[in-house]
Amino acid sequence: MKTISILGSTGSIGTQTLDVVLRSEGKFQVAGITGNKNIKLLEGQTRMFAPKFVAVADENLYNDLKLAVSDTNTKVLCGIDGLCEVAAYSKNDIVVSSTVGISGLKPTLAAISAGHDIALANKETLVTAGNLVTDLIKEKGVKLLPVDSEHSAIFQCLECGHKPSKLILTASGGPFFGKTKKDLEKVTLKDALKHPNWSMGQKITIDSATMMNKGLEIIEAKWLFDMELDDIEVVVHRESIIHSMIKLSDGSILAQMGEPDMKLPISVALYYPEREIIKNTDFDFLKHPNLSFYNPDEETFSCLKLAKQALKTGGTMPCFLNGANEAAVALFLDEKIKFTDIPELISNAMKKHTPIVNYTLDDVVKTDLSAREIVLDLIGG
Ligand code: NDP
Ligand code: MG
């Protein structure tokens, strides 16, 4: 039996992780769960999984959560320190990092420092502090198991044991594939929240619509698989059946395929190095007779270009890009800016950042705050 803690248990990945735990029939024991605002769900999860810890990131909700679970044996924690305590709990075998945004960074570092393996959904952890995270992973000798479907696909392909000459990330293209810059001027929040293939949290859904998600995933792939930008390609594949591919030196392409369902990459990470045994999951090729592939349109979806530029610049620039993107997406979700303002704001903000090459955690925190402030300044907020 593996003991797991889930950072962000109330989210899309977190709840699907708990589904995997439920259907495992006792292969996993949940030691800790965390959320930010949704204390009703945290209460329900506490009753169902009887974890040792439940933590709420928003400190204002601590007393309400404590009262709600006062009849249980679960210890209630709060704030970033509470999340770090859950992450570092000595009995954890694996910590699922699935909060959204840079909020995942410190708790994930705490889990690695404590020597726990990580199932990583929170790509922002690697985007903002790739160097620090991978150095600590090496120092502590823990495993970093990708949950992001593309990276899980590559991880599975790499089990062939050969060094890839290229990584090929597939992208659905999001809800606005094929649209022009002019079309994008008119899209609404509701349009942007309608992803064709995946049901996910709001922030990543908007990132998929702008294609920033694929940009962040290139940066994530660089750190996970130690590959250079020029060796990471993106191909738009509308059906999201091929989750990503690797190319070997002899030209052979290995792909991982399946229906779009995050429970598969979550299971691959949780059960690693074993595989989950599920009945009745035959893939029906006849339901997918046509798989299509296109070049990404980086002019219209310029977030992809900005992310590549940030990775090329290096240092704290990817962290700055991420902070600016989080701020711009939050403004778009609040309907304070237009969809097309997102890349515009990020690009203008990036011009104001002088990257620090050999950064510390303190530099990362400061860079993130400065990106957010600059975006707010740019809109006159
Ligand atoms: P959701 O928005 O559904 O969930 C986010 C989780 O993080 C919730 O538990 C939320 O708590 C918590 N949270 C929000 N803000 C904070 C904060 N400031 N501090 C601590 N916790 C916080 O997101 P997803 O599950 O969709 O995504 C999570 C991560 O996984 C992201 O990094 C995303 O890019 C990545 N990912 C997601 C995929 C998906 O299919 N959803 C696929 C691949 C990667 P609460 O709900 O209580 O407010
Ligand atoms: Mg992905």
Side-chain angles (χ1 to χ4, degrees):
M1 188 197 278
K2 285 188 189 176
T3 300
I4 69 168
S5 285
I6 304 161
L7 308 168
S9 65
T10 50
S12 158
I13 294 291
T15 50
Q16 292 181 83
T17 303
L18 287 172
D19 279 352
V20 170
V21 168
L22 275 183
R23 75 177 181 202
S24 79
E25 294 172 354
K27 295 216 172 60
F28 302 100
Q29 175 188 343
V30 180
I33 54 174
T34 83
N36 185 39
K37 300 269 183 216
N38 194 346
I39 55 168
K40 193 96 205 117
L41 187 52
L42 279 180
E43 179 193 345
Q45 292 176 345
T46 301
R47 294 191 186 286
M48 183 170 282
F49 294 92
K52 185 166 173 66
F53 301 106
V54 56
V56 60
D58 184 340
E59 297 184 3
N60 297 320
L61 297 171
Y62 171 72
N63 286 333
D64 292 347
L65 179 62
K66 206 167 156 53
L67 188 66
V69 299
S70 56
D71 58 331
T72 71
N73 291 323
T74 299
K75 184 173 174 194
V76 183
L77 303 165
C78 72
I80 184 74
D81 291 345
L83 265 71
C84 289
E85 190 172 336
V86 171
Y89 175 50
S90 61
K91 295 222 166 72
N92 285 331
D93 292 310
I94 183 159
V95 173
V96 181
S97 170
S98 58
T99 66
V100 62
I102 198 172
S103 69
L105 177 59
K106 282 186 179 168
T108 306
L109 287 172
I112 302 169
S113 294
H116 307 320
D117 290 343
I118 305 293
L120 187 77
N122 179 261
K123 62 196 82 181
E124 294 91 341
T125 286
L126 282 176
V127 172
T128 55
N131 244 332
L132 301 180
V133 176
T134 49
D135 283 355
L136 194 60
I137 290 272
K138 277 186 212 126
E139 186 193 321
K140 296 288 171 183
V142 302
K143 290 186 199 72
L144 185 55
L145 302 158
V147 168
D148 211 347
S149 58
E150 295 78 359
H151 306 73
S152 172
I154 290 170
F155 179 80
Q156 293 175 63
C157 292
L158 287 173
E159 291 193 324
C160 73
H162 296 291
K163 191 172 164 36
S165 58
K166 287 228 183 295
L167 305 182
I168 305 162
L169 295 173
T170 51
S172 71
F176 305 136
F177 172 73
K179 297 242 185 276
T180 63
K181 261 191 174 161
K182 203 156 173 266
D183 297 330
L184 293 185
E185 290 283 337
K186 289 176 262 160
V187 305
T188 64
L189 175 59
K190 209 166 144 215
D191 299 331
L193 285 173
K194 264 188 235 142
H195 195 279
N197 303 339
W198 300 94
S199 160
M200 310 179 283
Q202 289 199 329
K203 190 261 179 183
I204 184 177
T205 303
I206 302 304
D207 285 348
S208 298
T210 61
M211 288 199 78
M212 177 59 92
N213 184 48
K214 213 46 57 180
L216 300 179
E217 289 184 355
I218 292 176
I219 305 173
E220 181 185 16
K222 181 230 152 45
W223 291 112
L224 275 171
F225 307 116
D226 193 19
M227 295 287 281
E228 293 308 317
L229 175 59
D230 288 345
D231 298 326
I232 307 172
E233 284 176 14
V234 172
V235 62
V236 175
H237 163 50
R238 293 296 283 158
E239 297 79 15
S240 299
I241 294 297
I242 295 182
H243 298 306
S244 277
M245 302 173 251
I246 64 170
K247 188 176 187 178
L248 301 180
S249 55
D250 59 5
S252 185
I253 305 277
L254 306 190
Q256 186 265 333
M257 300 171 66
E259 295 291 346
D261 178 353
M262 286 309 294
K263 286 199 273 306
L264 179 65
I266 292 169
S267 301
V268 171
L270 290 191
Y271 280 85
Y272 184 82
E274 310 294 329
R275 297 290 290 219
E276 184 181 16
I277 301 161
I278 311 175
K279 293 186 194 94
N280 302 321
T281 51
D282 282 351
F283 180 81
D284 186 353
F285 281 91
L286 302 184
K287 277 194 186 148
H288 306 284
N290 300 306
L291 299 183
S292 56
F293 304 94
Y294 305 87
N295 258 330
D297 176 356
E298 291 188 15
E299 293 312 314
T300 306
F301 297 92
S302 55
C303 282
L304 185 52
K305 211 153 99 181
L306 291 172
K308 285 186 181 179
Q309 196 185 311
L311 179 56
K312 210 178 265 174
T313 306
T316 47
M317 194 53 106
C319 172
F320 188 90
L321 165 101
N322 181 74
N325 181 55
E326 285 195 34
V329 170
L331 288 166
F332 177 67
L333 286 170
D334 277 352
E335 301 191 79
K336 297 218 167 85
I337 61 170
K338 285 189 303 188
F339 185 74
T340 44
D341 291 335
I342 299 174
E344 186 80 12
L345 278 170
I346 300 168
S347 167
N348 288 337
M350 280 169 72
K351 290 182 191 129
K352 295 179 186 280
H353 180 60
T354 311
I356 304 164
V357 183
N358 294 312
Y359 56 83
T360 61
L361 183 57
D362 194 40
D363 295 326
V364 169
V365 172
K366 284 188 181 135
T367 300
D368 175 66
L369 285 176
S370 115
R372 290 163 195 271
E373 274 166 23
I374 290 173
V375 165
L376 287 180
D377 276 356
L378 285 171
I379 63 150

